[in-house]
Amino acid sequence: MTAILAPYACDPQNTRGRRFAEVSAPTRTDFQRDRDRIVHSSAFRRLVYKTQVFLNHEGDLFRTRLTHSLEVAQLGRSIARALHLNEDLVEAIALAHDLGHTPFGHAGQDALNACMAPFGGFEHNLQSLRVVDVLETRYPQFDGLNLTFETREGVLKHCSRANAQALNAQEPGGVAQRFLDRTQPSIEAQLCNLADEIAYNAHDIDDGVRSGLITLAQLQEVPLFDEQRRATLAQYPQLEDASQGRRLLYETIRRMLSEQVYDVIAASSAALQAAAPASADAARWLSPLIGFSEAMREKSQVLKSFLLRNLYRHPQVMHTTGQAQQVIADLFAAYMDAPQTLPARPTPLTAQAELSVARQVADYIAGMTDRFASREHARLTGQQLLA
Ligand code: MG
């Protein structure tokens, strides 16, 4: 039934478990069950209306947080299967990794972080954990989705030391401990981080070209892209024709993805063999074991800085970013002035420290979709931004 797992893969039989004990499901492993809970959550459905790079209303074919998360899961699972890692865990982490993202992508996150600076700040990774631990209220017996330690560990990709200390005080030796010990998460979690990077580097090229903000000609300065473009044209010279631009783009990106996936599999498999961790837990105490070869790391770096210079900092993207920051800052100020207008939330089942008004406001704003935030902004300020 299950693929053979490497000794260092996370085995659901040895999970460190859930925070609230539950009877196991009759036919599904704990990691499959985590994945299913994530797919059925409200936060997951909101991802479809949240920006990845381009705002949702800018075009129907651009990636959203949802399609991005599905691409991360696809890449993660392919690599996991080849490395005999736990595919279900990889899928669960991939589908949950962006649940805490604000509307309007990184612009929204930066703006909310700035608003929250006097109140402990806002980190989207920490927020993703907060969504699955606290904010989803759909079970009678606990708050959150009560996911396994391993899925939660993967969701908390980064965490500041101060936040790690605060989390660790609530859950001693829990998912924040590694940020204090400076150890690694499971190999499956390491894999999701890299799959995330591979996914956005590739789809941002596609969306960037589709938007007209970057061109195939500009991309010739990126070796990772251009080597595959040349190989594609050598095999299919008819794609030189301008009318075949999209086919050439897709085939190039497809080859680029394969090259990176096979590189990760080869490099990681060599690292895993050399380190030979005896268990999933032993791997947490070693250096990272999932990664590109040195040559691929450099090529991927060139692509990243290309996207930063030419796409993420494109004047048109920066203009939208400025407006998005305005919307978030205005919403934050409006709710802080009138916190009684925040919708009521179900009473938490578990004892929680009294939440500050600012944190409740941040939770509410972070949960919004792009369009809900724009409409709410228009209602509260009478201004039409990003609509
Ligand atoms: Mg992501």
Side-chain angles (χ1 to χ4, degrees), residues 298-372:
E298 280 169 27
K299 284 208 270 184
S300 156
Q301 204 47 52
V302 176
L303 169 57
K304 276 185 167 183
S305 59
F306 172 89
L307 288 170
L308 182 65
R309 272 180 289 118
N310 298 289
L311 184 61
Y312 311 141
R313 291 196 184 146
H314 189 285
Q316 199 173 312
V317 173
M318 295 300 284
H319 174 71
T320 317
T321 297
Q323 293 206 324
Q325 290 177 332
Q326 186 64 50
V327 169
I328 298 290
D330 289 348
L331 286 177
F332 189 83
Y335 298 128
M336 287 297 278
D337 273 351
Q340 70 281 5
T341 61
L342 288 178
R345 287 184 46 78
T347 312
L349 295 173
T350 35
Q352 285 187 58
E354 196 56 38
L355 266 191
S356 69
V357 170
R359 187 60 59 193
Q360 294 176 47
V361 169
D363 284 341
Y364 185 47
I365 295 177
M368 292 180 177
T369 60
D370 291 5
R371 61 180 183 177
F372 183 79

Side-chain angles (χ1 to χ4, degrees), residues 53-301:
V53 172
F54 294 92
L55 298 190
N56 199 259
H57 67 263
E58 291 182 306
D60 289 347
L61 287 178
F62 293 124
R63 267 65 176 188
T64 67
R65 288 267 163 216
L66 181 69
T67 59
H68 160 72
S69 302
L70 295 173
E71 289 182 35
V72 176
Q74 179 276 314
L75 289 164
R77 287 192 68 142
S78 302
I79 300 170
R81 188 173 299 189
L83 294 176
H84 302 287
L85 299 175
N86 195 303
E87 279 182 64
D88 296 324
L89 176 59
V90 166
E91 189 180 19
I93 298 171
L95 296 180
H97 86 285
D98 274 349
L99 289 179
H101 261 285
T102 60
F104 314 126
H106 281 280
Q109 127 96 24
D110 292 347
L112 195 52
N113 189 29
C115 296
M116 285 297 287
F119 312 101
F122 177 88
E123 289 180 24
H124 66 83
N125 285 294
L126 196 60
Q127 191 70 11
S128 296
L129 185 70
R130 215 172 136 61
V131 167
V132 300
D133 278 358
V134 181
L135 295 177
E136 281 288 322
T137 42
R138 38 197 320 115
Y139 291 86
Q141 66 278 46
F142 45 75
D143 292 322
L145 303 177
N146 198 29
L147 304 180
T148 61
F149 172 88
E150 292 78 6
T151 301
R152 296 174 58 241
E153 172 193 42
V155 167
L156 191 62
K157 186 160 71 165
H158 302 293
C159 182
S160 69
R161 203 171 165 83
N163 283 329
Q165 279 163 341
L167 271 179
N168 210 45
Q170 294 164 26
E171 186 191 358
V175 288
Q177 183 71 44
R178 75 183 170 92
F179 298 98
L180 305 174
D181 295 342
R182 298 182 190 285
T183 55
Q184 302 304 317
S186 70
I187 301 175
E188 283 82 355
Q190 296 177 33
L191 170 53
C192 280
N193 290 348
L194 192 56
D196 187 19
E197 243 183 86
I198 298 174
Y200 65 66
N201 283 332
H203 64 51
D204 289 351
I205 294 181
D206 182 9
D207 286 353
V209 172
R210 179 183 301 282
S211 68
L213 300 185
I214 55 176
T215 62
L216 279 174
Q218 271 178 306
L219 279 159
Q220 291 183 26
E221 66 178 79
V222 179
L224 187 57
F225 182 88
D226 202 48
E227 286 163 20
Q228 299 302 338
R229 185 191 64 92
R230 283 164 191 274
T232 302
L233 285 175
Q235 191 176 350
Y236 303 104
Q238 67 276 23
L239 297 188
E240 285 277 14
D241 192 282
S243 69
Q244 299 297 327
R246 294 221 64 87
R247 247 189 249 274
L248 174 60
L249 177 67
Y250 290 145
E251 179 62 16
T252 304
I253 292 175
R254 180 177 301 119
R255 288 173 184 229
M256 218 182 83
L257 281 173
S258 299
E259 189 192 356
Q260 292 176 90
V261 164
Y262 298 137
D263 182 272
V264 173
I265 293 170
S268 308
S269 153
L272 287 163
Q273 261 177 40
S279 65
D281 205 40
R284 292 184 170 92
W285 294 86
L286 303 174
S287 324
L289 292 163
I290 298 293
F292 286 131
S293 65
E294 200 46 47
M296 184 57 81
R297 178 140 297 284
E298 280 169 27
K299 284 208 270 184
S300 156
Q301 204 47 52

